Amino acid sequence: MANVGRFFVRLRHNRVGLLGFVLATLVLGAALLGPWLTQVDPLRQNVLARFQGPSLGHLLGTDNFGRDTLARILYGYRTSIAVSFGAVALSTLLGSTIGLLAAYLGGWIDRLLMRLMDVLLAFPIILLAIAVLAVLGPGGTNTALAIGVVYTPIFARLARGPALTVLSWDYVAAARAVGASGGRIVLRHVLPNILAPILVQTTLSLSTAILVEASLSFLGLGTQPPTPSLGLMLSQSRDYMLISPWVSIFSGLAILLASLGFNLFGDGMRDLLDPTLRGRDV
Amino acid sequence: MIGYVARRLVDLVFVLLGVSVLVFLMVRFIPGDAVEIMLGANTDITPDRVAALRHGLGLDLPIHVQYWNWLTGVLHGDLGTSIWTGRPVADEILARAPATLEITLLALALALVLALPLGVVSARARGSAGDLVVRLLSIVGLTLPTFWVGVLMLLVFSLYLPGWPAIGYVPFATQPLGNLARMALPVVAVSLPMIAGLTRILRSSLLEVLGSDYVRTARSKGLAERPVLYKHALRNALIPVVTVIGVQLGYLLSGVVVIEQVFAIPGIGRLIIGAINQRNYPLIQGIVLVITAVFVVVNLLVDLAYAWIDPRVEYE
């Protein structure tokens, strides 16, 4: 806990990271508290209030069914964050486990696992996600699964390299000598030492996962109507954007702010947690 | 170097084999009976038709035989038959490839042409207002939803330049100007994140190089700033830029797939989305396989170029 406190004290001096943290927190807050922040039902239609621009009654205007854009964006964040967090949680857990197993077990298991990861990494991101969705069918849960699969090899590689280094250190040999089990060595001695880059990658992956989810929903493969989704809102708003451009403008802006927030926060985290990586791009 | 190239080629074969196995197995992972799903929209599904399609796709053979037949077919350029049109999948892909290829290459060229000067200016004027603007834009550019940029561009052009042919595609060979006019908006939109990414990397690597000992030596022997920058610093600073081009191409391609939807461009992206809506699995498999193979080979070429440019690379 002391470490977490120190991290935030240092974050105060990293302006970019701090801005990212604030943005990411706002987006998370909107996603978690959405239903309590607005009394408006994002699905309620009102033909008399279609195509409205921003006003006091509808801060961000309304769409072609007279639905409130702000309410839809708040609920859209819920979908977007749920899918992205689910995807990144899946890939972090699965990828790190594979990387740690490969490093600890070594030999042919290591080679087999990492070759499999190489194969997954060979696919362009969106194409693999599209292929997975072509098999599983569209929908929010399947989108999370698809993005999770796509990101897994990134975490496997990220965990394996440093884990190999730590496993060669003396104190791991010491732990072995006193009879620590394999699971204990990996979880107690290796994992804490390789956590920093994994945490940074988790945050940066959230940023791109939000974009991928929005892209897939935009293509009609992700979240399905009537569930409010930012990508879907942007896609549908094109039909009436010459009558009223507000939904197109605000839904895309919402995607950008969410992705930007997690990207800046991840960048700041990298600067603070791993000074050797400062200024380098992955 | 030759040993390194040989090793990378062996790796390439393994990765491509792995990719082919996954793509082949795709259809087996579909929950339910793939054949019935593929026939889905047709109302006249008879057991005979199901059996005929199953036999036509070779699905009644043992799985390793199926894979072998499929793989030998693929290696002979036979990617199967599109279920809905009955045309060879390879032909369908070739017909759509030019548009996708053109956007991708133009976007890559635009990104390189813009990122190089931006990165150099930003690094040289470090700390200035211009540097700050470039840095901020490059951060935002990385997370910009390109399909949103495309939509906004369409909006602005239809309001203020309604005569501009913003949508669709005509081949360059028949209408050079019409082709370039239609390419302009999607190319600018998809290249923005790449411009941002490359600018950022060039800036930081140039700053690192400019602070190195050999640049100080070059300056202290009285060399003017220009030759120091262009003959000594920039060449080394470009190496990290080359290494990320492969990764960036992956993002670029993702952007192109989506932007084709925005600008109604009949490329590979629209082809695969249509194929998914029709559950046309042979076509989906063909597209995923071909694009991934091209992507893997291009990435290998980028890596080899990198090893060739930078002799310090260790070929472990």
Side-chain angles (χ1 to χ4, degrees), chain A residues 53-106:
Chain A
S55 68
L56 277 180
H58 300 282
L59 286 178
L60 301 183
T62 59
D63 67 5
N64 53 331
F65 293 115
R67 297 176 295 192
D68 183 71
T69 302
L70 177 61
R72 290 182 64 72
I73 285 180
L74 287 174
Y75 278 83
Y77 269 148
R78 264 176 109 71
T79 317
S80 161
I81 291 294
V83 171
S84 312
F85 270 64
V88 174
L90 174 71
S91 53
T92 308
L93 284 177
L94 194 63
S96 310
T97 307
I98 290 174
L100 283 170
L101 274 180
Y104 184 78
L105 297 174

Side-chain angles (χ1 to χ4, degrees), chain A residues 161-216:
Chain A
L164 279 177
T165 312
V166 176
L167 279 167
S168 71
W169 286 351
D170 285 344
Y171 79 90
V172 171
R176 268 207 189 100
V178 298
S181 67
R184 189 180 163 84
I185 288 175
V186 168
L187 292 178
R188 286 292 302 267
H189 300 290
V190 179
L191 187 60
N193 276 300
I194 65 167
L195 215 49
I198 292 180
L199 275 178
V200 172
Q201 186 59 45
T202 301
T203 315
L204 292 174
S205 296
L206 278 173
S207 162
T208 51
I210 289 168
L211 283 180
V212 177
E213 189 276 334
S215 306
L216 292 170

Side-chain angles (χ1 to χ4, degrees), chain A residues 115 122 130 134 219 248 264 267, chain B residues 11 139 148 200 276 281 295:
Chain A
R115 268 282 150 83
I130 287 178
L219 293 174
S248 302
L264 295 180
D267 233 40
Chain B
D11 281 352
I139 293 177
W148 179 51
R200 215 172 154 196
I276 288 178
Y281 285 101
F295 183 62

Side-chain angles (χ1 to χ4, degrees), chain A:
Chain A
M1 273 331 272
N3 281 333
V4 177
R6 210 162 55 217
F7 172 78
F8 280 104
V9 169
R10 284 161 67 199
L11 185 65
R12 290 204 340 234
H13 302 288
N14 182 315
R15 273 183 298 174
V16 172
L18 188 64
L19 175 65
F21 176 72
V22 171
L23 266 180
T25 311
L26 285 177
V27 169
L28 261 183
L32 290 174
L33 306 174
W36 291 277
L37 291 175
T38 176
Q39 303 298 317
V40 184
D41 179 353
L43 299 181
R44 216 197 71 200
Q45 307 186 1
N46 180 359
V47 263
L48 297 176
R50 297 163 65 195
F51 304 125
Q52 290 191 359
S55 68
L56 277 180
H58 300 282
L59 286 178
L60 301 183
T62 59
D63 67 5
N64 53 331
F65 293 115
R67 297 176 295 192
D68 183 71
T69 302
L70 177 61
R72 290 182 64 72
I73 285 180
L74 287 174
Y75 278 83
Y77 269 148
R78 264 176 109 71
T79 317
S80 161
I81 291 294
V83 171
S84 312
F85 270 64
V88 174
L90 174 71
S91 53
T92 308
L93 284 177
L94 194 63
S96 310
T97 307
I98 290 174
L100 283 170
L101 274 180
Y104 184 78
L105 297 174
W108 67 269
I109 298 182
D110 178 22
R111 281 199 297 278
L112 181 75
L113 286 175
M114 295 322 285
R115 268 282 150 83
L116 185 65
M117 294 298 110
D118 285 347
V119 170
L120 284 181
L121 269 181
F123 293 90
I125 287 182
I126 199 115
L127 206 61
L128 183 55
I130 287 178
V132 175
L133 284 173
V135 171
L136 298 177
T141 313
N142 289 346
T143 306
L145 281 175
I147 302 176
V149 169
V150 172
Y151 283 3
T152 294
I154 300 174
F155 286 94
R157 277 200 175 174
L158 197 64
R160 179 179 172 273
L164 279 177
T165 312
V166 176
L167 279 167
S168 71
W169 286 351
D170 285 344
Y171 79 90
V172 171
R176 268 207 189 100
V178 298
S181 67
R184 189 180 163 84
I185 288 175
V186 168
L187 292 178
R188 286 292 302 267
H189 300 290
V190 179
L191 187 60
N193 276 300
I194 65 167
L195 215 49
I198 292 180
L199 275 178
V200 172
Q201 186 59 45
T202 301
T203 315
L204 292 174
S205 296
L206 278 173
S207 162
T208 51
I210 289 168
L211 283 180
V212 177
E213 189 276 334
S215 306
L216 292 170
S217 296
F218 184 85
L219 293 174
L221 303 173
T223 315
Q224 297 297 302
T227 312
S229 142
L230 301 173
L232 207 55
M233 279 170 76
L234 179 56
S235 174
Q236 291 169 341
S237 73
R238 291 179 298 161
D239 295 340
Y240 52 87
M241 106 188 142
L242 289 177
I243 305 170
S244 165
W246 299 105
V247 179
S248 302
I249 294 171
F250 288 130
S251 55
L253 195 61
I255 300 169
L256 172 64
L257 288 180
S259 178
L260 184 63
F262 285 100
N263 189 287
L264 295 180
F265 183 43
D267 233 40
M269 257 170 108
R270 179 166 52 191
D271 283 356
L272 296 181
L273 295 178
D274 196 347
T276 57
L277 287 174
R278 198 162 294 174
R280 208 188 285 177
D281 284 87
V282 178

Side-chain angles (χ1 to χ4, degrees), chain B residues 191-314:
Chain B
S191 65
L192 290 177
M194 193 166 189
I195 296 171
L198 294 183
T199 302
R200 215 172 154 196
I201 289 155
L202 179 59
R203 178 185 179 275
S204 62
S205 90
L206 194 55
L207 281 177
E208 205 179 310
V209 172
L210 285 174
S212 66
D213 287 342
Y214 78 91
V215 168
R216 188 162 356 115
T217 309
R219 278 184 180 142
S220 57
K221 74 175 183 186
L223 217 54
E225 192 58 25
R226 269 183 166 276
V228 169
L229 183 67
Y230 292 107
K231 290 195 111 165
H232 294 263
L234 191 57
R235 287 174 65 166
N236 272 316
L238 279 176
I239 290 168
V241 178
V242 176
T243 55
V244 296
I245 283 183
V247 180
Q248 292 275 338
L249 269 177
Y251 295 129
L252 182 60
L253 199 67
S254 300
V256 173
V257 168
V258 189
I259 213 78
E260 284 178 6
Q261 270 340 80
V262 177
F263 290 97
I265 296 164
I268 303 278
R270 272 176 86 84
L271 187 63
I272 195 168
I273 300 305
I276 288 178
N277 291 333
Q278 299 171 340
R279 300 198 158 260
N280 193 340
Y281 285 101
L283 189 52
I284 300 172
Q285 284 174 299
I287 296 170
V288 173
L289 188 69
V290 169
I291 299 286
T292 305
V294 171
F295 183 62
V296 170
V297 171
V298 169
N299 258 304
L300 175 71
L301 292 179
V302 170
D303 278 3
L304 292 183
Y306 167 55
W308 182 63
I309 296 169
D310 187 0
R312 289 169 305 184
V313 173
E314 280 179 40

